[in-house]
Amino acid sequence: MILLDGKVASASVKEKLKTEVAKIISNKQRVPHLAAILVGNNGASETYVASKVKNCKEVGFQSTLIRFDNTVTENVLLNKIEALNNDESIDGILVQLPLPKHIQESTVIQAIHPEKDVDGFHPINAGKLVQGLPTIIPATPYGIMLLLEYYNISTKGKHAIIIGRSNIVGRPMSILLSSNLLYGNCTVTLCHSHTTNLKELCLQADIVVAALGKPAFVTADMVKQNAVVIDVGITRVDDATSKKGFKLKGDVLFDEVSKKASAITPVPGGVGLMTIAGLLKNTLAVYQKKMR
Ligand code: NAD
């Protein structure tokens, strides 16, 4: 069994990014600059944003964290995004999701200029992805593709099953794996909460991508021998034995499924780290496009 180690694969991506930044600096140009907006103080969101900022620093990017409290109005947020859209020194903008209920996420996503949308959530970027045009790929599916590439996992002609159809993970993942790409060309089945024969479908799959947000949902009896298993899920589960009071759990019951899988991602240490790698690559790409 191969452990698809996000730490190793993301370190390799980050090394290449550092080399690019060194070239930028030696050409006396400004470095890529990411603006991250965080609304409220949701513990998981705080952790994700802190990690994004830290990783920007690690590869030599500039980053600016803009915080609003939970009561911020949609208008104030939209005005800030507009200012960042017009700010020449900002290359990429991300708004950490989820947002408070009184703010419409789709309105906020659509307010980000598509060329600064480093999360790749804007409908223009999502539409380009569907048509196979050059675009910004959402960071998590992009990170998974980078992981498949790093470990040279063969995908051509394989049956991939994706559990979860969100716009940020499952749906773009289904498009990438079914696209005519080196690590694509799968036959894809996209499952969701109304899929009736999930176990039966999973048992046919050579590649399983679990992205539903239900800890330990995928058990060994659902997985074919030697399947490749990608666990996207991250859920905080209460755990009194841990210092933080919780543990991060994936959507796959790792101890069981790893005995059957030919390759599998751990949680933590798998897709989460690759998501950051995808985000950093997107930030460099939007910067390079602008500087051309
Ligand atoms: P979401 O809640 O938007 O979507 C969940 C999807 O799962 C839905 O499409 C739903 O139809 C499907 N689903 C729910 N129950 C199901 C069931 N019983 N059978 C089949 N399908 C079912 O979630 P999301 O934003 O896509 O995130 C999914 C998980 O991935 C969460 O745990 C989230 O924290 C995690 N996540 C991780 C990363 C990362 O970097 N590793 C990034 C994004 C999301």
Side-chain angles (χ1 to χ4, degrees):
M1 188 271 292
I2 303 166
L3 186 74
L4 303 172
D5 190 335
K7 212 170 175 179
V8 175
S10 67
S12 147
V13 172
K14 287 196 282 182
E15 273 317 304
K16 289 182 193 133
L17 291 171
K18 282 183 200 167
T19 310
E20 290 299 320
V21 172
K23 277 191 222 157
I24 290 169
I25 293 171
S26 73
N27 289 337
K28 302 203 179 338
Q29 286 176 314
R30 66 169 185 84
V31 295
H33 187 176
L34 174 73
I37 299 181
L38 175 61
V39 179
N41 44 19
N42 170 289
S45 294
E46 293 261 5
T47 311
Y48 295 145
V49 170
S51 172
K52 289 168 186 176
V53 167
K54 177 175 154 268
N55 276 276
C56 275
K57 195 167 179 196
E58 226 179 283
V59 298
F61 293 175
Q62 192 183 343
S63 67
T64 300
L65 173 59
I66 300 145
R67 302 194 64 137
F68 291 103
D69 64 37
N70 244 326
T71 57
V72 68
T73 63
E74 189 172 290
N75 250 343
V76 168
L77 195 55
L78 293 177
N79 286 339
K80 185 68 202 177
I81 291 171
E82 185 59 19
L84 295 169
N85 282 340
N86 294 327
D87 185 339
E88 277 300 306
S89 73
I90 300 287
D91 302 297
I93 304 169
L94 75 82
V95 178
Q96 185 64 42
L97 302 179
L99 291 170
K101 295 231 173 336
H102 66 278
I103 298 174
Q104 189 83 42
E105 280 185 2
S106 57
T107 308
V108 170
I109 288 167
Q110 288 177 48
I112 299 171
H113 192 290
E115 303 217 330
K116 292 194 176 188
D117 166 40
V118 279
D119 264 335
F121 297 161
H122 193 288
I124 288 185
N125 289 321
K128 286 183 179 171
L129 182 68
V130 171
Q131 296 203 349
L133 299 170
T135 187
I136 304 165
I137 302 168
T140 302
Y142 189 19
I144 295 171
M145 297 304 279
L146 294 169
L147 191 65
L148 295 174
E149 182 184 338
Y150 184 82
Y151 284 98
N152 194 21
I153 301 290
S154 144
T155 56
K156 190 172 161 184
K158 299 284 165 69
H159 181 196
I161 192 159
I162 296 157
I163 315 175
R165 60 177 163 189
S166 73
N167 285 339
I168 66 170
V169 188
R171 197 178 299 279
M173 195 67 234
S174 73
I175 293 160
L176 287 165
L177 283 178
S178 59
S179 294
N180 187 6
L181 299 167
L182 187 54
Y183 293 89
N185 284 316
C186 290
T187 303
V188 172
T189 305
L190 182 58
C191 299
H192 47 75
S193 49
H194 294 274
T195 301
T196 50
N197 54 342
L198 186 67
K199 182 174 172 185
E200 196 184 306
L201 292 166
C202 281
L203 281 167
Q204 294 167 22
D206 306 302
I207 299 168
V208 178
V209 180
L212 69 161
K214 297 208 165 137
F217 181 90
V218 177
T219 45
D221 61 327
M222 292 170 73
V223 176
K224 188 163 96 173
Q225 191 71 39
N226 292 327
V228 173
V229 180
I230 310 289
D231 191 352
V232 184
I234 307 180
T235 307
R236 288 182 170 200
V237 176
D238 290 345
D239 185 336
T241 66
S242 131
K243 255 198 248 158
K244 293 176 181 161
F246 66 85
K247 273 201 173 135
L248 297 180
K249 294 275 178 204
D251 287 345
V252 175
L253 188 53
F254 183 90
D255 290 349
E256 273 188 9
V257 176
S258 56
K259 295 194 179 98
K260 259 181 133 177
S262 60
I264 185 168
T265 59
V267 176
V271 173
L273 298 172
M274 295 313 295
T275 295
I276 304 262
L279 171 73
L280 296 172
K281 276 186 71 95
N282 280 343
T283 305
L284 180 69
V286 292
Y287 165 89
Q288 284 173 330
K289 192 169 176 202
K290 193 162 139 196
M291 300 302 267
R292 247 190 261 137

